[in-house]
């Protein structure tokens, strides 16, 4: 795959979005210049301010370290952002292959900036505006004709590191290859998923999503529902983001929401849904009082101590008679009968909601109907196909499926008939009829807008195939929409072995794939058996083995619940053989005759982390969360995690010594690993996991989750073709009893100071015992099997401890750790 070479990027504007876009570029190792206005003395303190015109940028970069969720993979990454200002550094724009403008949403400010930067741009550079809704065509018109073909819109969603969606918007002058090059870079390097939007106000996701949010607020008033109840109804129960509607608004920022609403109001007066774009009174009231959501501490919700309160609008009044926000305890939930309706299949679900007399059910039908209606009326104007609408809502608003997908799944003609009946009866938000294509022509004949042929383009009146660029050849199971006929990963390829919790298969006949299918991909005896079988098959017939599953969990750990019957019958003595089987499986993977590559995505905790660290190599998606977390259930890592820490410490000490470093002492490296395990530290990015030692510098970090399998397979083949041999077994020098004693002194201080409990002290002491190699002299040589036996002994001993049993039962019953 040939790529447009992006050697350096300039981001113009160090505000919230600009700084975070720069942070994400740093996360994926792209050099970046962050520009803003030159600072004046009043922007800082005295001489310090006057000495640096980059103060606005440097303050913004410092602010990145404090933001939650963290925009940087590691806080130190901020140092890689090069600050710049327009007065002194315009010539540096000539070094940049991509310029992303991200200043405030003012057309006049943007146009003035474009005039200023145009002479400094490289003749090949792509220029893109990160506007959330301004006309890209109008923005382009101030640029010289030589730059206009290289100009387009690029709309990141906030926060840029975590949100999957990027909308690309062409002008009539944009060269198609420019958009293809930018889509390739955004997809493979930045790890984002792209839709191409038409140049209309707020583009696709915000146009549909904010219209839907306004409709939700309006329908909530109609049916008399409180904000907390609405959020419970419109969150995960409806297949949407867990934050629901009003909590999402608070997170986004009510001022930001208001701005997007105003864009609709200012530019869409002819829209048949225009009356529903009015700013909700409660939103206007909150903004007037400076309650802008999460960033100000109050919005539709407010946290007071540990209590979450919700807005009770208009109930309070100031001394001057103005309405003021009043908050009351939150916690309202969906009615049980409505919850049951939402668990039904789509066709039955929508029928039950529509026919119910329950206000919550009526509300849900109303907002779904409004969504179907709005999207159908506007499809031709806002998006190339129905696929772009559905994917924009999935990736930009966190829905499990888009509006057209749900409509199609529930029965196209039946739902269309219900929507039409509501429009005719005056129940809908607009009197605009559904477009003719809904009832006549190819869509009606197919009962679908998504088919194997393609998705519906309302302007062309035909199904259009999904865009295919070389970059998508790396996505072996590209995320797609319902009805597209896309092949499911776990039904693909040639199956070599399968049991209840694992599938072993191949796509290309060269690399074997093991996919854990259990819930949360928990490691059970069945999974262990399947992994051993996979290694056996791979050694006999394949170049390597890749452990990969097609969702957002690699493995959340060992399946404690599956071992409960054994424990109840035989106690810890019954668990010990199962634990040894797990440890032996880890060693089998480590010393396999072909490379075993773990392809990590999402959670890799406890046993999942151990499975990864015992593999020959790891290929990890940027958003991978890796760690040994067993102390949360009162245990220590029992699948070789602590043995790995001891071995890795010895390897690091040996490397330091061979490099002439005086810090070659094993204990120094042991303490880092001990702290990570004892505190259950989890890497909050693949970059941080590398720092914690769960990923190595030789491992590969992949930006796009859907490229993970392809890259892992390529790595396995390359290792085999390079003459891979398993590491030689070696004796491991350990820190011994002196190391244990030193750690326990520190633990005792923490216990006596009230920072840890007596049981925490006990667990941590056992961790120290294993990572230091037990009661032996410092520098003693031990085997991996010895360390694993020590680990297994302490793991099983803790199972008998009442405090640990309390923690395990608490986690199984509530999903939350018990501190005792």
């Amino acid at each position: 795959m040939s790529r447009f070479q992006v050697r350096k990027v300039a981001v113009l504007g160090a505000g919230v979005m600009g700084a975070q876009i720069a942070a994400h570029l740093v996360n994926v190792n792209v050099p970046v210049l962050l520009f803003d206005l030159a600072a004046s003395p009043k922007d800082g303190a005295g001489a310090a301010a006057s000495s640096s015109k980059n103060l606005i940028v440097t303050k913004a970069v410092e602010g990145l370290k404090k933001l939650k969720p963290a925009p940087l993979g590691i806080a130190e990454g901020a140092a890689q952002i090069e600050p710049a200002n327009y007065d002194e550094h315009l010539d540096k724009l000539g070094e940049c292959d991509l310029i992303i403008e991200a200043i405030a949403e003012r057309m006049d400010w943007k146009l003035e900036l474009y005039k200023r930067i145009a002479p400094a741009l490289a003749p090949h550079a792509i220029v893109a505006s990160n506007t959330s809704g301004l006309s890209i065509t109008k923005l382009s018109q101030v640029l010289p004709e030589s730059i206009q073909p290289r100009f387009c819109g690029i709309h990141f969603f906030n926060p840029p590191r975590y949100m999957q969606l990027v909308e690309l918007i062409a002008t009539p002058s944009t060269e198609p290859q420019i958009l293809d090059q930018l889509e390739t870079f955004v997809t493979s390097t930045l790890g984002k998923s792209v839709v191409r939007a038409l140049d209309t106000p707020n583009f696709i996701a915000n146009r549909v999503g904010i219209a839907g949010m306004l409709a939700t607020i309006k329908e909530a008033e109609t049916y008399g529902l409180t904000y907390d109840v609405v959020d419970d109804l419109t969150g995960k129960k409806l297949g949407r983001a867990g934050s629901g509607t009003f909590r999402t608004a608070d997170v986004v920022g009510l001022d930001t929401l208001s701005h997007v609403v105003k864009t609709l109001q200012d530019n869409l007066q002819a829209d048949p849904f225009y009356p529903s774009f009015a700013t909700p009174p409660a939103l206007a009231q909150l903004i007037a009082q400076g309650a802008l959501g999460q960033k100000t501490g109050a919005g539709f919700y407010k946290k007071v101590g540990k209590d979450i309160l919700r807005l009770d609008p208009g109930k309070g009044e100031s001394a001057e008679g103005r309405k003021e926000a009043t908050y009351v305890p939150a916690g309202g939930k969906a009615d049980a009968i409505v919850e049951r309706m939402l668990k039904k299949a789509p066709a039955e679900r929508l029928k039950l909601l529509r026919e119910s007399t329950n206000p919550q059910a009526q509300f849900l039908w109303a907002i779904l109907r409004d969504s179907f209606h709005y999207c159908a009326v506007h499809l031709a104007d806002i998006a190339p196909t129905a696929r772009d609408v559905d994917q924009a809502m999935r990736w930009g608003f966190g829905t499990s499926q888009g509006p057209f997908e749900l409509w199609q799944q529930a029965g196209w003609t039946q739902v269309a008939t219900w929507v039409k009946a509501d429009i005719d009866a005056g129940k809908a938000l607009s009197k605009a009829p559904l477009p003719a294509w809904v009832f006549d022509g190819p869509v009606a004949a197919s009962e679908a807008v998504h088919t194997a042929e393609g998705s519906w383009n309302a302007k062309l009146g035909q199904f259009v195939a999904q865009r295919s660029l070389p970059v998508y050849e790396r996505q072996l199971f590209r995320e797609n929409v319902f009805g597209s006929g896309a092949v499911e990963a776990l039904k693909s390829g040639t199956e070599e072995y399968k049991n209840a919790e694992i599938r072993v298969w191949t796509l290309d006949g060269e690399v074997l794939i093991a996919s854990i299918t259990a819930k949360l991909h928990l490691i059970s005896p069945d999974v262990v058996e399947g992994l051993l079988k996979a290694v056996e098959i791979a050694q006999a017939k394949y170049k390597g083995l890749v452990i990969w599953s097609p969702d957002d969990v690699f493995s959340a750990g060992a399946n404690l619940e599956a071992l409960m019957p054994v424990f109840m019958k035989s106690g810890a003595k019954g668990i010990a053989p199962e634990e040894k089987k797990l440890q032996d499986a880890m060693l089998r993977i480590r010393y396999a005759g072909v490379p075993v590559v773990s392809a990590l995505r999402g959670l890799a905790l406890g046993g999942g982390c151990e499975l990864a660290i015992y593999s020959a190599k790891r290929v990890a998606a940027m958003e991978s969360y890796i760690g040994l977390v067993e102390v949360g259930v009162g245990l220590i890592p029992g699948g070789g995690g602590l043995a790995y820490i001891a071995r890795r410490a010895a390897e690091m000490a040996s490397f330091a010594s061979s490099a002439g470093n005086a810090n070659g002492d094993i204990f120094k490296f042991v303490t880092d690993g001990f702290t990570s395990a004892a505190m259950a530290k989890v890497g909050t990015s693949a970059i941080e996991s590398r720092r914690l030692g769960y990923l190595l510098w030789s491992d590969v970090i992949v930006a796009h989750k859907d490229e993970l399998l392809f890259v892992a397979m390529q790595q396995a083949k390359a290792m085999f073709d390079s003459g891979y041999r398993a590491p030689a077994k070696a004796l491991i020098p350990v820190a011994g009893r002196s190391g244990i004693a030193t750690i326990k002194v520190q633990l005792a201080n923490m216990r006596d100071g009230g920072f840890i409990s007596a049981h925490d002290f006990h667990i941590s002491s056992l961790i120290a015992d294993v990572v230091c190699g037990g009661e032996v002299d410092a520098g003693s040589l031990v085997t991996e099997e010895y360390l694993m036996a020590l680990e297994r002994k302490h793991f099983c001993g803790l199972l008998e401890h009442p405090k640990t049993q309390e923690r395990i039962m608490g986690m199984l019953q509530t999903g939350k750790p018990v501190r005792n």
Side-chain angles (χ1 to χ4, degrees), residues 10-14 18 33-35 86 93 99-103 113 117:
V11 177
L12 311 183
L33 283 165
L34 181 58
F35 276 83
Y86 304 122
L93 289 174
I99 290 84
I100 299 174
E101 172 270 304
I103 69 171
L113 179 61
I117 66 170

Side-chain angles (χ1 to χ4, degrees), residues 264-335:
L264 294 176
Q265 295 168 345
D266 292 346
N267 296 283
L268 295 171
Q269 288 92 342
D271 191 306
F273 290 81
Y274 184 78
S276 67
F277 297 160
T279 302
L283 177 61
Q285 176 189 354
L286 289 168
I287 291 173
Q289 294 171 199
L292 306 180
Q294 183 172 277
K295 59 188 170 187
T296 61
F300 287 107
Y301 294 93
K302 179 167 71 171
K303 188 173 183 181
V304 179
K306 294 184 178 180
D307 297 324
I308 303 295
L309 308 180
R310 67 164 173 82
L311 178 69
D312 193 4
K315 295 295 177 66
E317 288 192 1
S318 68
E320 294 79 17
R322 295 191 309 270
K323 287 184 176 180
E324 289 192 345
T326 300
Y327 291 87
V328 298
K333 299 291 183 183
D335 290 342

Side-chain angles (χ1 to χ4, degrees), residues 106-119:
R106 283 273 301 266
M107 177 72 75
D108 54 340
W109 291 359
K110 290 178 186 284
L111 295 179
E112 189 60 36
L113 179 61
Y114 293 176
K115 291 176 186 176
R116 190 173 182 184
I117 66 170

Side-chain angles (χ1 to χ4, degrees), residues 10 28 83 112 119 151 192 226 308 321 339 345 394 465 563 651 665 669 676 714 734 787 795:
V28 295
E112 189 60 36
F151 179 79
K192 301 303 172 187
T226 59
I308 303 295
E339 279 198 66
R394 280 185 180 210
L563 296 175
E651 291 169 350
D665 177 28
F669 297 102
S676 295
Q714 295 302 311
V734 293
L787 291 167
F795 180 91

